[in-house]
Amino acid sequence: MIVISIDLGHARTGFAISDKNGFLASSLCVITEYSDERLVQKAAALVKENKAELIVVGLPKNMDGSEGESAVRARRLAAEIGEAAGVPYVMQDERGTTITAHAYLSAKEVYGKKRKKQVDAVAASIILQDYLDSQKG
């Protein structure tokens, strides 16, 4: 089953995709979009184009586990994208994924504008890999 994950941002949103066996996550792309309505349409089109059967959306919880405005927005957009694509979705705790993505890109010596373009897709791949790993037992 192909799974797509989404790391929502206010300007840039990262996407990652799994292999057909649901074993390995790979960065897919980053969409720059300021309008939630247009983001929903672009994300749904990406899900359909890649024939994904499940969407995993990063849930931005506070470090104490509580949920704020960003989590409310993520839940709303996940529901809208899922409905527009006709595909079920699940929420995945994304605490620490952006920090991990920056550390990964630092290790690969990716900096500046190049890093800014990649960090959200790398974060999406971490979210997806965490989800895939959680399903393996």
Side-chain angles (χ1 to χ4, degrees):
M1 165 172 45
I2 295 174
V3 182
I4 282 187
S5 69
I6 305 173
D7 178 37
L8 294 164
H10 289 287
R12 288 177 308 280
T13 297
F15 293 83
I17 191 166
S18 75
D19 62 325
K20 289 181 182 179
N21 296 320
F23 183 74
L24 187 63
S26 301
S27 298
L28 183 60
C29 66
V30 174
I31 292 176
T32 301
E33 184 56 69
Y34 294 91
S35 162
D36 283 354
E37 187 177 312
R38 286 192 301 267
L39 176 61
V40 167
Q41 296 310 310
K42 289 178 180 181
L46 197 61
V47 169
K48 290 176 185 178
E49 176 185 317
N50 286 281
K51 298 180 173 89
E53 298 174 62
L54 179 67
I55 304 164
V56 176
V57 180
L59 181 62
K61 291 184 175 185
N62 297 319
M63 292 313 279
D64 67 0
S66 64
E67 295 184 13
E69 287 181 38
S70 293
V72 171
R73 177 177 177 262
R75 288 185 185 282
R76 177 179 55 80
L77 289 175
E80 291 176 10
I81 294 165
E83 184 176 335
V87 174
Y89 69 92
V90 297
M91 304 303 293
Q92 175 72 28
D93 187 349
E94 68 169 37
R95 283 179 285 183
T97 57
T98 300
I99 294 166
T100 304
H102 278 289
Y104 171 81
L105 291 170
S106 290
K108 296 288 184 186
E109 297 184 2
V110 177
Y111 300 102
K113 289 182 182 180
K114 203 172 190 183
R115 172 183 275 195
K116 198 172 185 179
K117 289 181 180 180
Q118 293 179 18
V119 71
D120 299 297
V122 172
S125 69
I126 294 167
I127 291 166
L128 181 53
Q129 193 64 57
D130 286 349
Y131 173 79
L132 295 173
D133 291 347
S134 76
Q135 300 304 299
K136 288 179 188 169

